[in-house]
Amino acid sequence: MELTREHLMIQKMAREFARKDLAPLAAERDQKHEYPAESLRQMGELGLLGMLVPEEYGGEHMDTVSYALAMAEVAYACASTAVIMSVHNSICCGSLLRFGTPEQKERYLVPMAKGKIICSFALSEPEAGSDPASMEATAEKQGDYYILNGTKRWITGGATSGLFIVLAKTDPDAGHRGISAFLVTRDMEGFETGRLEDKMGQCASDTTDLLFSNCKVPADHLLGKEGDGFVVAMSGLDDGRIGIAALSLGLGQAALDHAVDYAKKRVQFGRPIADNQGLRWMIADMATDVEAARLLVLNAAAKKDRKEACSKEASMAKLHASEMANRVTGQAIQIYGGYGYTREFPVERFYRDARVLTIYEGTTQIQKIVIANHVIGDRKKKKKK
């Protein structure tokens, strides 16, 4: 697709910020597991944390293509910062925008759009990931409060975010129709953060359990209606998958660029290794893989902006881009040779950061189920006609 002048301006702004302010700190933050608080503050000022939020709620009211372009640029510099940006923008801001009351939007969405509050989404549990209906967390209405009990696992920003959208069962016998969503703040009685996960990659983004023991959530913090929780969770899937696909694209592009630059400079047998045919073919495959991901991401984003059904396209983009990032970062290490296996060069971090991309926001296998259901379902409809 052809990008507009506005798209290119947003991409340039995000690129300049990311490469000047994020990239120089990314390796150190990764090694120290240091949350990018100051960078997020700057991103809030630039409008990168409220990109899809209307201006009336303090956002930038940009389209999904602009969001995908900016996400890729942030991920090119620091995948840890990009995943925080993705969860906050795609799922959290979107859920509040779609289901929040005017009071909830004023209290939480407005500061979220400015980056003054970072929000996390709490769906997964120790025994419930891709199957939300099997969650065990419960919320029981008692007077003016819901009493929330249970454990949430793998929560991005669990130790640092100020607001959480937490899903729990208000009717345990109703399956996914008995799930409700709640706005939970860190200061609510009965809410604690669990241990910090020691992860393979994206180490500057904290991941923890959330522990709820008779946590008192005011009744006016119910997001949507009772039983809307599953709909809340599913409504943000397209945005979330496009966001992670764009993150994957940025990471893959970074690995490709670093590998090409290294291949031009590294001399063996009296000439740059970039002159060797076998390596040139590797780079050709990597570049084609990255470009295919770019087209899938932009296609899904453009369809969403046209208000067309895009669940299949979002899953295709997420599936291919996340797998691409794993392939391309691995090939980048191969091109670097032994140097790529050390932390002296960024491709080692790219490789670790890429591994989780095929897992969160719906695994590769879940994406294939979604895609197949749409394709087979479409064919059935065509046959009936």
Side-chain angles (χ1 to χ4, degrees):
M1 64 170 288
E2 184 175 353
L3 300 178
T4 66
R5 182 180 179 184
E6 183 179 359
H7 288 147
L8 294 173
M9 289 174 60
I10 293 167
Q11 184 183 46
K12 181 181 179 182
M13 178 271 291
R15 177 176 297 171
E16 289 177 349
F17 165 76
R19 299 194 188 183
K20 177 183 177 183
D21 294 272
L22 293 179
L25 299 171
E28 182 180 359
R29 283 174 169 168
D30 171 74
Q31 292 173 16
K32 294 182 177 180
H33 293 214
E34 179 184 320
Y35 184 73
E38 176 58 24
S39 294
L40 290 169
R41 185 191 64 77
Q42 293 175 321
M43 290 168 67
E45 293 176 353
L46 290 171
L48 292 172
L49 297 180
M51 295 190 71
L52 304 176
V53 177
E55 293 180 3
E56 63 183 294
Y57 299 116
E60 301 299 318
H61 197 52
M62 294 181 185
D63 61 12
T64 314
V65 170
S66 298
Y67 171 60
L69 292 170
M71 175 63 67
E73 295 298 335
V74 171
Y76 186 102
C78 179
S80 292
T81 305
V83 71
I84 299 168
M85 175 182 172
S86 179
V87 172
H88 179 84
N89 264 297
S90 301
I91 305 177
C92 294
C93 286
S95 295
L96 258 165
L97 183 61
R98 286 184 289 270
F99 296 95
T101 64
E103 293 78 13
Q104 290 171 342
K105 291 176 183 178
E106 186 64 30
R107 183 172 182 179
Y108 293 118
L109 184 57
V110 171
M112 284 168 61
K114 297 297 184 183
K116 295 180 180 179
I117 294 177
I118 301 297
C119 186
S120 292
F121 194 76
L123 170 63
S124 297
E125 297 184 2
E127 302 299 328
S130 299
D131 178 18
S134 65
M135 72 170 58
E136 297 180 357
T138 60
E140 182 181 351
K141 182 75 178 294
Q142 292 185 9
D144 295 332
Y145 293 88
Y146 284 89
I147 306 303
L148 180 59
N149 284 285
T151 299
K152 294 297 178 178
R153 181 147 292 174
W154 316 122
I155 307 307
T156 298
T160 51
S161 293
L163 179 67
F164 300 86
I165 297 176
V166 180
L167 275 70
K169 286 187 173 180
T170 45
D171 185 352
D173 297 324
H176 68 270
R177 292 184 177 86
I179 299 172
S180 301
F182 300 90
L183 298 171
V184 179
T185 56
R186 191 171 293 281
D187 59 352
M188 288 182 180
E189 180 184 340
F191 173 32
E192 294 182 9
T193 300
R195 68 182 179 87
L196 193 67
E197 298 292 345
D198 189 9
K199 301 181 298 182
M200 174 190 290
Q202 299 189 16
C203 296
S205 165
D206 58 281
T207 302
T208 72
D209 285 357
L210 303 181
L211 311 175
F212 301 97
S213 179
N214 293 324
C215 178
K216 297 179 66 176
V217 181
D220 62 3
H221 279 55
L222 176 69
L223 184 61
K225 300 175 183 177
E226 277 198 18
D228 279 352
F230 185 78
V231 178
V232 171
M234 295 302 104
S235 71
L237 284 182
D238 291 343
D239 282 341
R241 287 170 179 170
I242 291 171
I244 297 302
L247 190 165
S248 304
L249 170 61
L251 192 55
Q253 185 69 62
L256 172 62
D257 288 352
H258 279 80
V260 170
D261 185 60
Y262 181 80
K264 290 178 179 179
K265 295 175 180 177
R266 174 68 168 169
V267 175
Q268 290 287 277
F269 305 104
R271 62 179 183 174
I273 62 173
D275 289 348
N276 297 320
Q277 186 181 60
L279 189 142
R280 294 172 76 88
W281 285 1
M282 287 173 63
I283 289 176
D285 287 341
M286 293 163 70
T288 302
D289 220 359
V290 170
E291 191 61 23
R294 189 185 328 278
L295 295 174
L296 284 166
V297 170
L298 293 178
N299 177 60
K303 287 201 74 170
K304 190 171 190 311
D305 287 335
R306 294 195 298 267
K307 302 188 185 307
E308 298 175 9
C310 65
S311 293
K312 178 183 70 175
E313 288 76 12
S315 284
M316 285 178 167
K318 201 276 182 181
L319 167 65
H320 177 77
S322 61
E323 293 287 351
M324 172 279 295
N326 277 270
R327 287 191 294 268
V328 170
T329 54
Q331 290 291 73
I333 286 179
Q334 192 71 18
I335 289 170
Y336 270 76
Y339 290 111
Y341 198 63
T342 70
R343 294 198 174 187
E344 181 180 353
F345 294 92
V347 290
E348 181 269 345
R349 171 167 49 86
F350 297 161
Y351 185 73
R352 288 187 291 104
D353 285 348
R355 188 59 194 89
V356 74
L357 297 173
T358 61
I359 299 173
Y360 62 29
E361 204 63 59
T363 64
T364 286
Q365 289 69 34
I366 289 293
Q367 305 310 322
K368 289 182 178 181
I369 290 172
V370 172
I371 295 164
N373 286 344
H374 278 278
V375 173
I376 294 169
D378 288 347
R379 287 179 178 173
K380 286 181 178 178
K381 290 178 183 177
K382 289 177 182 178
K383 284 183 180 180
K384 287 182 181 180
K385 291 181 180 179

